[in-house]
Amino acid sequence: MLQNLFRTRRERLGQPLYELAVQQARDPRFYMQLGVADRIDARFELYTLHVLLLNMRLRDEGERGAEAGQQMFDIYVSQLDHTLRELGVGDISVGKKMRKLGESLYGRMTAWEAALKAGDEAALKASVARNIYESDDAEVGGDLAAYAISSRRNLAAQPFEDVVSKPAWSEIA
Protein backbone atom coordinates (compact mmCIF):
# COMPACT_ATOMS: atom_id res chain seq x y z
CA MET A 1 0.00 0.00 0.00
CA LEU A 2 2.69 2.50 1.00
CA GLN A 3 4.77 1.59 -2.02
CA ASN A 4 2.12 3.24 -4.23
CA LEU A 5 2.80 6.58 -2.55
CA PHE A 6 6.37 6.56 -3.83
CA ARG A 7 5.68 5.51 -7.40
CA THR A 8 5.75 8.02 -10.21
CA ARG A 9 2.67 8.59 -12.33
CA ARG A 10 4.25 6.58 -15.12
CA GLU A 11 4.73 3.63 -12.79
CA ARG A 12 1.07 3.76 -11.83
CA LEU A 13 -0.27 3.69 -15.39
CA GLY A 14 -0.41 -0.10 -15.69
CA GLN A 15 -3.55 -0.68 -13.60
CA PRO A 16 -5.70 2.08 -15.13
CA LEU A 17 -4.60 1.06 -18.64
CA TYR A 18 -5.54 -2.54 -17.93
CA GLU A 19 -8.92 -1.38 -16.61
CA LEU A 20 -9.51 0.67 -19.79
CA ALA A 21 -8.78 -2.39 -21.94
CA VAL A 22 -11.08 -4.60 -19.85
CA GLN A 23 -13.85 -2.02 -19.81
CA GLN A 24 -13.82 -1.87 -23.60
CA ALA A 25 -13.61 -5.66 -23.98
CA ARG A 26 -16.68 -6.03 -21.77
CA ASP A 27 -18.83 -3.83 -23.99
CA PRO A 28 -22.04 -5.83 -24.55
CA ARG A 29 -22.05 -4.93 -28.25
CA PHE A 30 -19.19 -7.40 -28.85
CA TYR A 31 -21.47 -10.15 -27.65
CA MET A 32 -24.84 -8.90 -28.87
CA GLN A 33 -23.93 -7.29 -32.21
CA LEU A 34 -20.72 -9.04 -33.24
CA GLY A 35 -21.75 -12.44 -31.96
CA VAL A 36 -18.80 -13.15 -29.66
CA ALA A 37 -19.82 -15.99 -27.33
CA ASP A 38 -20.18 -14.89 -23.71
CA ARG A 39 -17.78 -17.53 -22.40
CA ILE A 40 -14.62 -17.17 -20.36
CA ASP A 41 -12.36 -18.19 -23.26
CA ALA A 42 -13.95 -15.68 -25.65
CA ARG A 43 -13.67 -12.95 -23.00
CA PHE A 44 -9.98 -13.86 -22.57
CA GLU A 45 -9.53 -13.38 -26.33
CA LEU A 46 -11.21 -9.95 -26.29
CA TYR A 47 -9.17 -8.85 -23.27
CA THR A 48 -6.02 -10.01 -25.06
CA LEU A 49 -6.96 -8.11 -28.22
CA HIS A 50 -7.57 -4.87 -26.32
CA VAL A 51 -4.44 -5.20 -24.19
CA LEU A 52 -2.49 -5.76 -27.42
CA LEU A 53 -4.03 -2.74 -29.15
CA LEU A 54 -3.15 -0.48 -26.22
CA ASN A 55 0.29 -2.03 -25.85
CA MET A 56 1.10 -1.48 -29.53
CA ARG A 57 0.13 2.18 -29.24
CA LEU A 58 2.08 2.66 -26.03
CA ARG A 59 5.25 1.19 -27.55
CA ASP A 60 5.00 3.81 -30.30
CA GLU A 61 5.87 6.35 -27.57
CA GLY A 62 9.31 4.90 -26.93
CA GLU A 63 10.59 4.12 -23.47
CA ARG A 64 7.83 5.77 -21.43
CA GLY A 65 5.14 4.00 -23.41
CA ALA A 66 6.97 0.68 -23.36
CA GLU A 67 7.22 0.88 -19.56
CA ALA A 68 3.51 1.63 -19.21
CA GLY A 69 2.66 -1.15 -21.65
CA GLN A 70 4.81 -3.63 -19.75
CA GLN A 71 3.13 -2.66 -16.48
CA MET A 72 -0.29 -3.14 -18.08
CA PHE A 73 0.75 -6.53 -19.45
CA ASP A 74 2.15 -7.61 -16.06
CA ILE A 75 -1.15 -6.70 -14.42
CA TYR A 76 -3.02 -8.65 -17.10
CA VAL A 77 -0.95 -11.77 -16.42
CA SER A 78 -1.41 -11.30 -12.68
CA GLN A 79 -5.18 -11.04 -13.17
CA LEU A 80 -5.17 -14.25 -15.22
CA ASP A 81 -3.45 -16.02 -12.34
CA HIS A 82 -5.94 -14.52 -9.87
CA THR A 83 -8.89 -15.58 -12.03
CA LEU A 84 -7.64 -19.16 -12.23
CA ARG A 85 -7.40 -19.26 -8.46
CA GLU A 86 -10.92 -17.81 -8.11
CA LEU A 87 -12.18 -20.52 -10.45
CA GLY A 88 -10.82 -23.09 -8.02
CA VAL A 89 -7.63 -24.15 -9.76
CA GLY A 90 -5.30 -25.48 -7.08
CA ASP A 91 -1.83 -24.13 -6.40
CA ILE A 92 -0.18 -27.16 -7.97
CA SER A 93 -2.13 -26.80 -11.23
CA VAL A 94 -1.93 -23.00 -11.54
CA GLY A 95 1.59 -23.10 -12.95
CA LYS A 96 0.65 -25.56 -15.68
CA LYS A 97 -2.50 -23.65 -16.57
CA MET A 98 -0.63 -20.32 -16.58
CA ARG A 99 2.00 -21.78 -18.90
CA LYS A 100 -0.74 -22.93 -21.27
CA LEU A 101 -2.48 -19.53 -21.07
CA GLY A 102 0.85 -17.80 -21.61
CA GLU A 103 1.48 -19.82 -24.76
CA SER A 104 -1.99 -18.95 -26.04
CA LEU A 105 -1.52 -15.32 -25.14
CA TYR A 106 1.85 -15.11 -26.87
CA GLY A 107 0.53 -16.90 -29.95
CA ARG A 108 -2.46 -14.60 -30.32
CA MET A 109 -0.50 -11.45 -29.71
CA THR A 110 2.19 -12.46 -32.20
CA ALA A 111 -0.29 -13.30 -34.94
CA TRP A 112 -2.55 -10.34 -34.32
CA GLU A 113 0.28 -7.83 -33.97
CA ALA A 114 1.84 -8.86 -37.28
CA ALA A 115 -1.52 -8.56 -39.05
CA LEU A 116 -2.33 -5.24 -37.37
CA LYS A 117 1.06 -3.72 -38.18
CA ALA A 118 0.76 -4.80 -41.81
CA GLY A 119 -2.91 -3.80 -42.03
CA ASP A 120 -3.50 -7.36 -43.26
CA GLU A 121 -7.24 -7.64 -42.80
CA ALA A 122 -7.41 -11.10 -44.39
CA ALA A 123 -4.89 -12.60 -41.94
CA LEU A 124 -6.53 -10.86 -38.99
CA LYS A 125 -10.01 -12.04 -40.05
CA ALA A 126 -8.84 -15.64 -40.28
CA SER A 127 -7.10 -15.53 -36.90
CA VAL A 128 -10.00 -13.79 -35.18
CA ALA A 129 -12.48 -16.25 -36.71
CA ARG A 130 -10.42 -19.23 -35.59
CA ASN A 131 -9.52 -18.01 -32.09
CA ILE A 132 -12.52 -15.95 -30.99
CA TYR A 133 -15.37 -17.45 -32.98
CA GLU A 134 -13.94 -20.98 -33.27
CA SER A 135 -14.73 -20.96 -37.00
CA ASP A 136 -12.77 -21.87 -40.11
CA ASP A 137 -14.75 -19.28 -42.07
CA ALA A 138 -12.59 -16.14 -42.07
CA GLU A 139 -15.60 -13.95 -42.91
CA VAL A 140 -17.03 -14.68 -39.47
CA GLY A 141 -14.19 -12.59 -38.02
CA GLY A 142 -14.62 -9.74 -40.50
CA ASP A 143 -16.42 -7.18 -38.36
CA LEU A 144 -14.20 -7.70 -35.34
CA ALA A 145 -11.05 -7.58 -37.49
CA ALA A 146 -12.24 -4.32 -39.08
CA TYR A 147 -12.92 -2.94 -35.59
CA ALA A 148 -9.39 -3.88 -34.46
CA ILE A 149 -7.71 -2.32 -37.49
CA SER A 150 -9.79 0.83 -37.12
CA SER A 151 -9.03 1.00 -33.38
CA ARG A 152 -5.32 0.63 -34.14
CA ARG A 153 -5.53 3.63 -36.50
CA ASN A 154 -7.56 5.70 -34.01
CA LEU A 155 -5.19 4.97 -31.14
CA ALA A 156 -2.14 5.76 -33.31
CA ALA A 157 -3.59 9.18 -34.12
CA GLN A 158 -4.22 10.00 -30.46
CA PRO A 159 -1.71 11.86 -28.26
CA PHE A 160 -0.19 9.72 -25.49
CA GLU A 161 -1.90 11.63 -22.67
CA ASP A 162 -5.29 11.02 -24.29
CA VAL A 163 -4.59 7.33 -24.90
CA VAL A 164 -3.81 6.73 -21.23
CA SER A 165 -6.99 8.46 -20.06
CA LYS A 166 -9.59 7.82 -22.79
CA PRO A 167 -8.48 5.60 -25.66
CA ALA A 168 -10.14 6.30 -29.00
CA TRP A 169 -11.58 2.85 -29.63
CA SER A 170 -13.55 2.45 -32.84
CA GLU A 171 -17.28 2.11 -32.86
CA ILE A 172 -18.53 -1.44 -32.63
CA ALA A 173 -20.58 -2.02 -35.79
Side-chain angles (χ1 to χ4, degrees), residues 1-16 71 75:
M1 183 83 154
L2 287 176
Q3 64 196 12
N4 287 333
L5 293 174
F6 300 107
R7 289 187 178 165
T8 64
R9 179 174 183 267
R10 196 175 350 171
E11 290 175 319
R12 291 187 303 240
L13 284 176
Q15 184 67 37
Q71 290 165 17
I75 288 168

Side-chain angles (χ1 to χ4, degrees), residues 74-148:
D74 292 346
I75 288 168
Y76 181 36
V77 171
S78 174
Q79 288 298 320
L80 289 173
D81 180 273
H82 181 73
T83 299
L84 285 175
R85 291 175 192 280
E86 280 186 342
L87 290 171
V89 175
D91 288 339
I92 295 171
S93 301
V94 167
K96 291 177 189 174
K97 298 243 185 227
M98 281 302 294
R99 186 171 0 109
K100 187 175 179 179
L101 273 175
E103 290 168 1
S104 294
L105 183 65
Y106 180 76
R108 302 301 187 274
M109 287 185 146
T110 300
W112 292 343
E113 183 171 5
L116 285 163
K117 279 184 176 179
D120 186 348
E121 190 169 357
L124 190 58
K125 273 192 216 181
S127 184
V128 163
R130 184 175 49 258
N131 294 303
I132 296 178
Y133 293 97
E134 297 179 348
S135 174
D136 291 329
D137 179 5
E139 293 308 310
V140 170
D143 289 340
L144 187 53
Y147 161 84

